[in-house]
Amino acid sequence: MNYRTNGSGTIAVHHLQYIIQAEYRSMINAQRLLHLAPPEHRMHFSRSVEVKQKERLAVWTRLYYHLTACYPVFTKVEPPKDYVSGLKASVFDALDAADLYAVLLDRAQEPELQRILQRAMNGENRLAARLNFLYSSYMLENGDLVKSKGLIGVIKKQLPPF
């Protein structure tokens, strides 16, 4: 979806619905990744991360209710089937969400909405960086980076002795 349209003012209800569904999907994916993750990665999907996601979801839901006098509709989310594809999908989701928040932040005029969008954008960028680190370290530790075509044609070279 392209959110780069002109406009200003408060946040649109359809954007809020999209954000709420994306936060819900992120929360479901994080819960699933916690169970799929190797033991050394599980601390990154801790309960504190889940609490932050639930708090963000609650903020967006309250704003949606304030604007519409209705609660948002949640659609079913299919959790990832394996750890690697779940990490990759979550990185892309977090980056897409950060892009959306940046566009909406540019349009927002209310200081409170600007603060919420800024915090959400920063949170998504931090999440994307964390998930990208987990993905990279998992692929390097398990020797699957070459199989995943991450190092096509790269040969390990040793430096000559001094």
Side-chain angles (χ1 to χ4, degrees):
M1 236 185 210
N2 184 4
Y3 294 100
R4 301 245 179 230
T5 58
N6 291 330
S8 62
T10 190
I11 191 165
V13 172
H14 68 278
H15 286 144
L16 267 179
Q17 180 65 51
Y18 180 84
I19 289 168
I20 289 167
Q21 185 63 36
E23 287 290 345
Y24 178 67
R25 182 176 54 249
S26 176
M27 190 173 65
I28 297 297
N29 287 349
Q31 289 170 351
R32 179 72 174 153
L33 289 173
L34 172 65
H35 297 291
L36 294 172
E40 63 273 10
H41 287 194
R42 287 191 181 134
M43 67 182 156
H44 298 287
F45 300 103
S46 69
R47 295 293 169 217
S48 65
V49 173
E50 186 177 338
V51 167
K52 286 180 185 176
Q53 288 175 323
K54 285 181 180 178
E55 287 173 357
R56 278 200 309 259
L57 184 59
V59 166
W60 294 121
T61 301
R62 278 193 303 274
L63 184 57
Y64 186 92
Y65 185 81
H66 176 72
L67 292 174
T68 65
C70 299
Y71 288 104
V73 176
F74 293 93
T75 57
K76 185 177 180 181
V77 174
E78 187 67 33
K81 300 205 182 317
D82 66 275
Y83 186 60
V84 173
S85 66
L87 281 176
K88 286 171 64 175
S90 294
V91 167
F92 288 120
D93 282 350
L95 291 172
D96 285 344
D99 287 343
L100 173 60
Y101 292 142
V103 170
L104 296 176
L105 178 62
D106 289 341
R107 293 186 201 166
Q109 294 176 354
E110 298 87 10
E112 182 63 17
L113 180 57
Q114 290 174 341
R115 186 188 66 76
I116 292 170
L117 289 166
Q118 182 71 47
R119 289 181 57 108
M121 183 180 65
N122 290 342
E124 293 295 339
N125 281 324
R126 282 191 310 272
L127 177 62
R130 183 180 305 116
L131 293 171
N132 193 33
F133 167 77
L134 292 173
Y135 175 77
S136 299
S137 66
Y138 182 83
M139 297 306 273
L140 286 171
E141 291 165 1
N142 292 308
D144 289 341
L145 193 57
V146 174
K147 291 181 201 169
S148 72
K149 300 178 184 173
L151 293 176
I152 295 175
V154 176
I155 301 171
K156 288 185 177 181
K157 294 183 180 181
Q158 292 185 354
L159 294 173
F162 286 101

